[in-house]
Amino acid sequence: MCLPPEKQRKSTAERQAIPHSALIFGDVLFFARDCYRDRSGWEREPDTGMPKSSSKLKILYSEGDAEVLASQAVSIQKAGHEVIQAVGRKAVEEALRRESFDLVVLGPTLTKNDRHHLPYMVKKCQNGTRVLVMHTDGERHPCVDANLDTGSRFEALLEKIAALQGSQAVLAK
């Protein structure tokens, strides 16, 4: 339905009166142009697919396999955390002596013996540090704060880290 130009023009009083729906749907409705998609600057930024954390954790990440360690550590760094890598038990113990960490992640390629003894070593060196074991061995371990099933998707690891980060913030208060 097309109206003549004189009927299409609105008076200043009509233009100043903002309908109630514009207050509610102001981010969707845009009155200066025909369509909300015509707005400049509304292009979406490319999504990385990983949630960014609001604050950065210092994470010690250990695996028994150096290739797995390198690929997974990059993904955790993209999520916004500082990651220190350690291959094997001795490297973890050395890193714990040198500096402190918010979280220690023990990967599934570590030996069962390492995944069992390293949480004790972490709590002995740094009592406030959280321990996440990426294997079901950690579910009944007294020094493990969280664990993941073997073969879980990587996003589940990031979700667990975020959950531990949230609980750590609560404990700090």
Side-chain angles (χ1 to χ4, degrees):
M1 184 172 140
C2 194
L3 296 173
E6 58 275 351
K7 289 194 175 183
Q8 286 181 356
R9 295 184 190 176
K10 296 180 182 177
S11 68
T12 56
E14 287 176 319
R15 276 187 270 146
Q16 289 176 353
I18 299 173
H20 182 68
S21 61
L23 297 174
I24 296 172
F25 300 107
D27 60 330
V28 178
L29 301 174
F30 193 69
F31 295 106
R33 297 190 181 131
D34 293 334
C35 182
Y36 68 92
R37 289 182 282 171
D38 291 339
R39 290 188 227 175
S40 62
W42 276 72
E43 295 80 24
R44 287 183 48 137
E45 294 294 323
D47 193 11
T48 60
M50 291 187 202
K52 290 278 186 184
S53 65
S54 58
S55 65
K56 195 175 180 181
L57 288 178
K58 188 171 185 181
I59 298 174
L60 174 62
Y61 179 48
S62 178
E63 290 278 356
D65 184 4
E67 292 176 14
V68 172
L69 176 65
S71 65
Q72 301 276 4
V74 169
S75 301
I76 297 173
Q77 286 173 335
K78 284 182 183 177
H81 302 291
E82 179 184 351
V83 179
I84 308 299
Q85 301 176 24
V87 179
R89 182 179 186 170
K90 290 190 185 249
V92 171
E93 291 173 351
E94 185 61 34
L96 288 171
R97 280 190 221 110
R98 279 193 321 253
E99 53 191 306
S100 64
F101 298 94
D102 299 317
L103 175 66
V104 176
V105 178
L106 304 175
T109 60
L110 286 168
T111 65
K112 182 176 181 178
N113 194 26
D114 289 347
R115 286 191 311 266
H116 178 74
H117 288 290
L118 281 173
Y120 289 117
M121 297 305 294
V122 170
K123 296 296 182 173
K124 183 179 176 183
C125 292
Q126 302 172 12
N127 194 24
T129 301
R130 305 293 213 138
V131 178
L132 175 92
V133 177
M134 295 174 59
H135 198 278
T136 53
D137 289 347
E139 66 187 352
R140 291 185 300 261
H141 196 290
C143 291
V144 171
D145 297 301
N147 72 304
L148 285 174
D149 291 333
T150 307
S152 295
R153 67 190 206 292
F154 192 74
E155 289 79 22
L157 172 65
L158 296 175
E159 291 167 5
K160 282 280 189 176
I161 290 172
L164 284 173
Q165 184 178 7
S167 65
Q168 191 172 16
V170 170
L171 290 175
K173 290 180 182 179

